[in-house]
Amino acid sequence: MSRTATDIDEPADPEADQPPPGDDHAFLGHPRGLATLSGLEVWERFSFLGMQAILVLYFADTVAHGGLGMDPGTAASVSAAYGTMVYLVSVAGGWLADRILGSYRAVLWGGILIACGHYAMAVPTAGMTWVGLGLISAGTGLLKPNVASMVGKLYKTDDQRRDAGFALYYMGINIGAFAGPLITAWLGEHKGWHWGFSAAAIGMTAGLVQYVLGRRHLAGRKHSATLVNQAGALAPEAMRSAVTKIIGGFLAFAALATLLAVLGWLTMGRFVDLLTLISVIAPIVYFAVMFRSPRVTAEERGRLRPYVVLFMASVAFNFILFQAYSTMMLLASTNARTEILGFTFPAGWYASALGAFEVLLAPVVAALWVRMGRRQPHASNKIAIGVILGGLSFLLMVIPTSGHTGDTYKMAAWWIIGSYLLLGLGDILLETSGMSATTKLAPKAFGSQTMALWFLSLALANGIQAQVVKVYGQVSNPAYFGVNGAVAVAVGLAVIALAPWLKRTMHPVH
């Protein structure tokens, strides 16, 4: 149905993007919509990180045992490339939410694609594995930036509960991160890898159900053509054309990639290198577009400059964080004991330790920020401390891996658990503060897309990781973990040194 000019130009409904009244303190002193969004993330992370915990082990396992038979370095590189693709697609997800679908529908359709992807991976064939990973990448790109953006819409910019709300939201994320690997790793080791992928599919389906049931408590669930067009969105005819072009482009890309692969021109290594190159170029282009856009005011442009520093800090930290599901998993499967107090467990359960620590620490951090109020550290310092803790988690691994060669030694489980403790605390500090700062620093015309830009830092981290992890197993473990950890610590210290400038240019963001 076409729209008239009057339809497009009439004033926007101020209530269209707000949660219903009476919800403001209904969930642990926070808006009730926070419970719905946190619940969705519990199941999304259950499925995503449950699958991620066994993905690199599945890649590296022998074909005879149901794996794909890759060497460890290649397995880690391909796993990182998959992460790169997931977060690159988040740019399109943010654009689709801002211009066509709205946040609620973007998250809904993203969840549906993710569930379909996990169901595809449950089919025990290599071909369906790649189809499933493609669907999950597209779905996560729609879901992740827009869920976080919807959390930000529950609060006013100057609401002191905002960072605490993101901490509680992140606790929900890590309940799923804790539970997912427990189920998928046990199924993967005892029943087969595709049984683990099946559990991930069921988890995502459960998340979609509770999201739809709780939709009335969410801001952004109404997406009137009037409001969207005032924000610079497309008219209905143009929307349909854009969606058609996006779907057509995606199918054409998939067909071209398949053809090149069949001809032998597109190898796995070249595809990984291409994704790394795109992960470097994409944020540069996106920052340039935002800085030059006439819809970004001078004041908003001034706040984008310190955001570049926060972006690079996120890259440094997430380069370490994502290796919790790649090189650390490989190290655990070959050089760590898989028993505590006489109880033997799958190597994939180490990934649950990270989620467990974040579940336990997130409410403590949230309560601390609420208690401190305006005395809490500036967002840039929280992020810097998080990066340093990430670096220290890798530096810790230098101690138990020193003085050994090959896979003949077994370190105590407490070393990896201790590393994940540092990494988990760092993740809480950086991601909650980073996502909160993103929603506050985002130009109005690029609301969801700025959150997508934050996820581009994760894409770049994975892109860099996809290249660096290729040397895992070729250099000594102390050198590998020591150098990477030292670089992260150096980046964190640099952000602390820039704190005075960051506080001044991020004002009034605290």
Side-chain angles (χ1 to χ4, degrees), residues 396-408:
L396 180 64
M397 299 311 299
V398 173
I399 300 173
T401 58
S402 295
H404 303 286
T405 57
D407 296 334
T408 58

Side-chain angles (χ1 to χ4, degrees), residues 208-286:
L208 281 172
V209 170
Q210 74 86 37
Y211 176 68
V212 172
L213 293 177
R215 65 188 180 277
R216 66 184 181 278
H217 304 299
L218 302 175
R221 69 198 182 282
K222 298 179 181 178
H223 191 66
S224 66
T226 299
L227 180 61
V228 176
N229 277 301
Q230 281 209 330
L234 305 175
E237 295 82 0
M239 289 183 188
R240 286 191 290 269
S241 175
V243 171
T244 301
K245 289 178 181 178
I246 290 170
I247 295 174
F250 177 80
L251 293 176
F253 174 79
L256 178 62
T258 301
L259 176 62
L260 293 177
V262 170
L263 295 175
W265 295 345
L266 183 62
T267 63
M268 184 62 69
R270 288 175 180 172
F271 185 66
V272 170
D273 293 342
L274 176 62
L275 286 176
T276 296
L277 179 62
I278 295 173
S279 74
V280 173
I281 295 174
I284 294 174
V285 171
Y286 221 80

Side-chain angles (χ1 to χ4, degrees), residues 324-496:
Y325 301 96
S326 59
T327 57
M328 289 291 283
M329 282 291 95
L330 293 170
L331 182 68
S333 67
T334 57
N335 295 107
R337 296 173 187 166
T338 52
E339 63 175 37
I340 294 180
L341 302 176
F343 175 74
T344 302
F345 56 89
W349 278 17
Y350 275 113
S352 287
L354 182 59
F357 285 131
E358 298 199 26
V359 169
L360 294 173
L361 293 172
V364 176
V365 172
L368 178 63
W369 296 157
V370 171
R371 185 176 183 83
M372 293 182 70
R374 290 226 170 244
R375 294 181 292 110
Q376 63 187 278
H378 188 263
S380 63
N381 283 331
K382 296 176 187 176
I383 290 171
I385 295 170
V387 177
I388 291 172
L389 288 172
L392 291 177
S393 75
F394 258 36
L395 290 177
L396 180 64
M397 299 311 299
V398 173
I399 300 173
T401 58
S402 295
H404 303 286
T405 57
D407 296 334
T408 58
Y409 69 97
K410 297 289 184 181
M411 71 180 76
W414 305 110
W415 287 107
I416 293 183
I417 291 174
S419 176
Y420 280 0
L421 172 61
L422 293 171
L423 192 59
L425 180 57
D427 194 27
I428 292 170
L429 293 176
L430 183 136
E431 291 297 340
T432 56
S433 299
M435 287 190 295
S436 179
T438 297
T439 61
K440 290 184 280 190
L441 295 173
K444 290 182 179 179
F446 291 87
S448 294
Q449 293 176 79
T450 306
M451 185 58 71
L453 183 59
W454 178 256
F455 286 106
L456 270 184
S457 71
L458 278 61
L460 180 54
N462 273 295
I464 296 171
Q465 182 198 162
Q467 302 303 318
V468 174
V469 295
K470 291 178 181 179
V471 305
Y472 179 77
Q474 299 180 20
V475 299
S476 69
N477 285 335
Y480 182 85
F481 291 106
V483 171
N484 288 331
V487 170
V489 170
V491 171
L493 293 175
V495 175
I496 289 178

Side-chain angles (χ1 to χ4, degrees), residues 92-93 95-107 109-110 142 146 220-223 228 239 243:
W95 183 87
L96 284 168
D98 278 348
R99 300 290 180 259
I100 299 178
L101 295 174
S103 298
Y104 172 79
R105 290 183 180 86
V107 171
W109 283 106
L142 273 174
N146 295 307
R221 69 198 182 282
K222 298 179 181 178
H223 191 66
V228 176
M239 289 183 188
V243 171

Side-chain angles (χ1 to χ4, degrees), residues 81-359:
Y82 158 66
T84 304
M85 189 163 57
V86 164
Y87 294 110
L88 281 174
V89 178
S90 67
V91 176
W95 183 87
L96 284 168
D98 278 348
R99 300 290 180 259
I100 299 178
L101 295 174
S103 298
Y104 172 79
R105 290 183 180 86
V107 171
L108 177 62
W109 283 106
I112 291 172
L113 288 174
I114 292 170
C116 291
H118 285 301
Y119 283 116
M121 291 191 69
V123 179
T125 63
M128 291 304 290
T129 294
W130 304 120
V131 170
L133 290 176
L135 289 171
I136 295 169
S137 298
T140 306
L142 273 174
L143 186 146
K144 286 299 290 183
N146 295 307
V147 174
S149 180
M150 289 175 76
V151 172
K153 291 175 182 178
L154 297 172
Y155 301 91
K156 296 180 179 179
T157 302
D158 59 352
D159 193 330
Q160 291 298 308
R161 301 173 301 161
R162 193 183 185 95
D163 281 12
F166 270 98
L168 288 173
Y169 162 72
Y170 214 64
M171 181 180 70
I173 287 176
N174 287 292
I175 291 174
F178 166 70
L182 291 178
I183 305 299
T184 59
W186 189 90
L187 288 171
E189 184 170 298
H190 291 87
K191 298 294 183 181
W193 302 117
H194 297 281
W195 281 91
F197 300 145
S198 298
I202 294 171
M204 190 63 240
T205 303
L208 281 172
V209 170
Q210 74 86 37
Y211 176 68
V212 172
L213 293 177
R215 65 188 180 277
R216 66 184 181 278
H217 304 299
L218 302 175
R221 69 198 182 282
K222 298 179 181 178
H223 191 66
S224 66
T226 299
L227 180 61
V228 176
N229 277 301
Q230 281 209 330
L234 305 175
E237 295 82 0
M239 289 183 188
R240 286 191 290 269
S241 175
V243 171
T244 301
K245 289 178 181 178
I246 290 170
I247 295 174
F250 177 80
L251 293 176
F253 174 79
L256 178 62
T258 301
L259 176 62
L260 293 177
V262 170
L263 295 175
W265 295 345
L266 183 62
T267 63
M268 184 62 69
R270 288 175 180 172
F271 185 66
V272 170
D273 293 342
L274 176 62
L275 286 176
T276 296
L277 179 62
I278 295 173
S279 74
V280 173
I281 295 174
I284 294 174
V285 171
Y286 221 80
F287 269 117
V289 168
M290 293 175 70
F291 272 111
R292 295 179 180 180
S293 174
R295 292 187 293 135
V296 176
T297 67
E299 182 181 0
E300 291 174 332
R301 193 171 292 112
R303 288 200 294 267
L304 277 177
R305 295 188 181 93
Y307 187 69
V308 175
V309 176
L310 304 187
F311 178 92
M312 295 310 300
S314 174
V315 172
F317 176 80
N318 283 291
F319 170 77
I320 300 292
L321 177 68
F322 286 117
Q323 292 192 62
Y325 301 96
S326 59
T327 57
M328 289 291 283
M329 282 291 95
L330 293 170
L331 182 68
S333 67
T334 57
N335 295 107
R337 296 173 187 166
T338 52
E339 63 175 37
I340 294 180
L341 302 176
F343 175 74
T344 302
F345 56 89
W349 278 17
Y350 275 113
S352 287
L354 182 59
F357 285 131
E358 298 199 26
V359 169

